[in-house]
Amino acid sequence: MKNKKHAIYLKTSFASTIFFAIFCLTLIANQANAQATKSKPWNPPASAIELKNPFAGDANAIKEGKKLYVTYCTPCHGNSGKGDGIAAASLNPKPADHTSDAVQSETDGAAYWKLTEGRGPMISYKQLLTDNQRWQLVTYIKTLGKKK
Ligand code: HEC
């Protein structure tokens, strides 16, 4: 008799633990969804916006930047930088379109800061790439608008 009571108690507490776990997961999933669908503005600090690109317009930097871009960035940003890489479909928010006016009109410093810091699926490249490599990438990205 005592054992049976114990068993029922165990079953109930097990069931409520499962329900509670599912409840929590639903909350987390909702939260993640809400964050993902809201495309929040991504504003670099003024000090980053003012940073000068040491390679601006440099032909060799564009060449090196393109090599890095093909290796690291095209899976998401696509071959032409339009944000249509093979991994793009599964991402939220979508990878930025580097040919867009929004990206082309921001300062080199702003783009450099974003790719250094990262946000969401766009990881931080601070550790993966050197300063020079990140500036070379920005120099290359700034040539993509003209190809439209
Ligand atoms: C895993 C997919 C992925 C990879 C790989 C990736 N990005 Fe991104 N990138 C994103 C996403 C997603 C965003 C939009 C992030 C947001 O708005 O929160 C983004 C945004 C950016 C932006 C900001 C655009 C803007 O000006 O608002 C820059 C710059 C950028 N990426 C550069 C790069 C570079 C350079 C590489 C390669 C070194 C790279 N990304 C690799 C997914 C990726």
Side-chain angles (χ1 to χ4, degrees):
M1 194 59 189
K2 221 180 186 184
N3 271 344
K4 204 178 171 192
K5 249 191 191 161
H6 195 68
I8 289 169
Y9 172 73
L10 269 182
K11 260 189 209 158
T12 335
S13 73
F14 180 68
S16 46
T17 308
I18 295 290
F19 274 121
F20 183 68
I22 292 170
F23 176 68
C24 288
L25 286 175
T26 315
L27 272 189
I28 292 165
N30 276 343
Q31 183 68 14
N33 253 337
Q35 280 175 350
T37 43
K38 237 187 282 160
S39 89
K40 282 168 281 163
W42 192 6
N43 301 320
S47 57
I49 292 172
E50 286 160 14
L51 286 175
K52 286 278 165 283
N53 180 353
F55 300 119
D58 181 84
N60 195 53
I62 293 170
K63 208 179 95 197
E64 293 304 315
K66 183 175 184 172
K67 279 191 217 159
L68 291 165
Y69 196 85
V70 169
T71 308
Y72 294 101
C73 320
T74 51
C76 293
H77 290 283
N79 287 329
S80 54
K82 288 197 196 307
D84 56 358
I86 45 165
S90 63
L91 295 177
N92 206 336
K94 296 287 171 235
D97 176 355
H98 289 155
T99 70
S100 67
D101 289 342
V103 172
Q104 290 298 321
S105 65
E106 71 182 354
T107 66
D108 287 14
Y112 169 84
W113 180 85
K114 288 177 184 179
L115 108 91
T116 302
E117 298 300 320
R119 186 172 84 167
M122 170 68 202
I123 60 161
S124 158
Y125 285 90
K126 201 187 273 176
Q127 312 291 336
L128 287 168
L129 300 170
T130 66
D131 257 12
N132 281 354
Q133 286 176 316
R134 277 175 275 136
W135 280 120
Q136 287 166 342
L137 278 162
V138 170
T139 313
Y140 173 67
I141 288 171
K142 289 302 165 120
T143 67
L144 295 174
K146 292 161 197 153
K147 285 185 194 151
K148 256 192 281 181

